[in-house]
């Protein structure tokens, strides 16, 4: 069991990541309420991308080659950025993100099993047909 303290997310963003690079993203919530907005041109665009760059520099090798990572701005006095969760790209709404760029990530994540990138093999499960 994991237990963490309750946090308030001032803003939450969904990032579509391909090969360790943010391909597209969007805001999807403000203080827990749906509030979709494009990342491009968003007032938090630079802080979101800077946080994502630091995050991916540290742990991109531990993620699948195509993944969605939700990040958020914590409400409160510090205004820190944190990871909300990682998601399967093929099961993640793109909200206001560029759908073509999001689709690149989705197609890789759901691509043919006969041609996966080597870095994705640790994430496979053996499933009986």
């Amino acid at each position: 069991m994991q237990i963490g303290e309750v946090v308030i997310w001032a803003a939450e963003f969904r990032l579509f990541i391909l090969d360790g690079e943010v391909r597209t993203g969007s805001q999807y919530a403000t203080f827990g309420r749906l509030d979709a907005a494009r990342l491009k041109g968003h007032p938090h665009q630079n802080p979101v991308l800077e946080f994502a760059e630091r995050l991916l520099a540290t742990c991109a090798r531990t993620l699948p080659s195509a993944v969605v990572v939700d990040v958020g701005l914590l409400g409160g006095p510090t205004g820190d950025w944190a990871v909300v969760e990682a998601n399967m790209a093929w099961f993640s709404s793109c909200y206001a993100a560029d759908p073509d760029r999001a689709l690149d990530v989705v197609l890789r994540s759901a691509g043919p099993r006969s041609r996966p990138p080597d870095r994705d093999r640790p994430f496979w499960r053996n499933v009986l047909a």
Side-chain angles (χ1 to χ4, degrees), residues 29-78:
T30 302
F31 289 103
R33 296 182 185 250
L34 182 62
D35 186 16
R38 293 182 60 146
L39 179 59
K40 186 174 184 178
H42 191 283
H44 290 305
Q45 177 182 351
N46 289 338
V48 167
L49 294 176
E50 289 167 5
F51 176 73
E53 185 177 310
R54 290 191 313 272
L55 174 69
L56 294 170
T58 303
C59 67
R61 70 188 182 291
T62 68
L63 296 170
S65 65
V67 67
V68 168
V69 175
D70 293 346
V71 301
L73 176 62
L74 293 167
T78 61

Side-chain angles (χ1 to χ4, degrees), residues 2-47:
Q2 293 181 340
I3 299 174
E5 64 185 76
V6 175
V7 298
I8 296 172
W9 298 104
E12 296 171 73
F13 295 83
R14 173 154 292 167
L15 305 175
F16 286 79
I17 298 169
L18 185 62
D19 295 327
E21 174 187 319
V22 175
R23 295 292 308 223
T24 188
S26 73
Q27 175 180 285
Y28 64 88
T30 302
F31 289 103
R33 296 182 185 250
L34 182 62
D35 186 16
R38 293 182 60 146
L39 179 59
K40 186 174 184 178
H42 191 283
H44 290 305
Q45 177 182 351
N46 289 338

Side-chain angles (χ1 to χ4, degrees), residues 99-112:
D100 290 331
R101 294 179 72 82
L103 185 58
D104 291 341
V105 180
V106 171
L107 290 174
R108 168 74 70 78
S109 72

